DNA sequence: AAAATATGTCAACAAGGCTGACGTATTTTG
DNA sequence: CAAAATACGTCAGCCTTGTTGACATATTTT
């Protein structure tokens, strides 16, 4: 094995361990509520994209509608998420967080923000930008444009009535 | 939400998408063999740490021995992994990859190396070091020393007879 | 009016986690 | 040396979250 490849393997492992611990704080919180990681992902992306369509969510999460359906139903029944008909297209069921859902989303994202802030402390803004760029380029090339738009955030202040 | 927090949320999402795609290539290969991500993790860490003890593997993967047991048995039956009694402590069942296991490990790691190399191309070695450091600091503080040692690789050329 | 689209749902199944209980070598300890 | 601790394996049952396939309903597009 070349030295360069060895360095890459080290990065592979770092990413594995970083991700393992990165999801561990939310996992604990969720477990107490009887929820799992699947609920987290829905809460997160609905919170970040109020009014997101079901089909968009499916594409982001790369799961089937049947998988989504079960978990989404639980979140609706527990009053964390609600749906509204699309105005332009009434077949759509746009997704929003309730105040309760927003509260949970906040609780879940807080430790993750803290973890990144701690990880960044001591690094300059150039280091942060470098890391951001590398993470971005780990994403499939054909999906980067989508992700860039998603991350930029679209209807940040969507009116929910 | 503060601007700084928003930046952190963007990083959180980048990590999510990066990881999602990062594991997708191995997943495809594994699926054709009737294996899953659990098999991958075992193959990877046994390959990187020949002679690793079962209990060490459990700690790395953060799963129970019952979960490991099933998947490990499959890998042993399919002749990807074999066990040997520890010399010093004969209760131990040290784990090694067979040549077949090594071949699979290589096949699985290749696309991940390629992905990181592509992601790094264009970034300088300082950017790479910065990213490495940030990923490292995402790991739980009490586990960083362990991970550092693990990643450095210990018995790189362990004799297997 | 017919076809396509967006979504929901039922059913059956699989991977891969979990807990709890118990068994067997082997090593360590009092 | 006997007893306790350790390393590991295994049986059984359960949960979450993913899958495929088939079918239903409302709405929009053609």
């Amino acid at each position: 094995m070349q030295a360069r490849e060895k360095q890459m393997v080290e990065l592979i492992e770092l990413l594995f361990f970083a991700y393992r611990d990165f999801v561990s704080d939310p996992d604990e919180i969720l477990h107490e509520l009887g929820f799992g990681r699947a609920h987290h992902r829905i809460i997160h992306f609905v919170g970040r994209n109020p009014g997101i369509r079901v089909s968009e969510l499916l594409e982001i999460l790369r799961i089937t509608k049947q998988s989504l359906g079960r978990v989404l139903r639980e979140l609706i029944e527990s009053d964390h998420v609600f749906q509204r008909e699309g105005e332009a297209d009434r077949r759509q069921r746009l997704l929003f967080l309730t105040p309760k859902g927003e509260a949970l989303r906040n609780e879940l994202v807080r430790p993750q923000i803290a973890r990144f802030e701690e990880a960044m402390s001591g690094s300059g803004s150039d280091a942060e930008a470098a890391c951001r760029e590398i993470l971005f380029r780990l994403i499939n090339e054909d999906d980067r444009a989508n992700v860039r738009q998603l991350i930029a955030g679209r209807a940040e202040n969507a009116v929910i009535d």
Side-chain angles (χ1 to χ4, degrees), chain A:
Chain A
M1 178 112 73
Q2 298 172 9
R4 183 60 179 157
E5 291 188 352
K6 220 166 185 172
Q7 285 185 313
M8 292 298 121
V9 171
E10 289 180 20
L11 277 163
I12 289 168
E13 292 177 350
L14 277 178
L15 184 56
F16 169 79
F17 289 113
Y19 196 81
R20 181 194 69 176
D21 289 351
F22 169 70
V23 293
S24 66
D25 310 302
D27 274 0
E28 274 187 54
I29 298 170
L30 290 155
H31 190 255
E32 289 168 16
L33 298 173
F35 289 155
R37 217 171 279 179
H39 302 83
H40 185 188
R41 294 194 278 256
I42 296 175
I43 291 274
H44 180 96
F45 285 107
V46 171
R48 273 278 282 177
N49 302 83
I52 192 174
R53 281 180 288 121
V54 169
S55 59
E56 290 177 294
L57 198 48
L58 291 178
E59 220 189 310
I60 290 174
L61 302 180
R62 296 244 205 279
I63 58 175
T64 59
K65 62 178 171 178
Q66 296 92 326
S67 293
L68 181 67
R70 253 184 323 211
V71 182
L72 186 54
R73 191 187 318 136
E74 291 174 13
L75 287 173
I76 290 170
E77 282 169 4
S78 64
D79 190 37
H80 289 91
V81 173
F82 71 94
Q83 296 179 301
R84 270 214 351 235
E85 263 185 2
E87 288 184 23
D89 186 338
R90 284 168 47 215
R91 289 171 302 183
Q92 299 173 351
R93 299 294 134 84
L94 308 184
L95 301 172
F96 300 87
L97 293 187
T98 64
K100 191 175 169 187
E102 285 287 359
L104 178 55
R105 178 194 169 212
N106 267 311
E107 197 185 346
L108 292 170
V109 85
R110 196 171 310 132
Q112 294 194 312
I113 289 177
R115 189 178 284 268
F116 258 112
E117 275 178 343
E118 204 258 335
M120 291 298 184
S121 71
S123 299
S125 64
D126 48 340
E128 184 174 325
C131 184
R132 188 183 299 267
E133 176 68 10
I134 289 168
L135 285 178
F136 182 68
R137 292 175 58 112
L138 284 174
I139 299 166
N140 284 344
E141 199 164 1
D142 16 344
D143 215 42
R144 288 180 202 164
N146 289 334
V147 170
R148 196 193 298 278
Q149 239 193 322
L150 199 77
I151 285 181
R154 38 175 191 179
E156 192 59 44
N157 306 315
V159 179
I160 314 189
D161 273 11

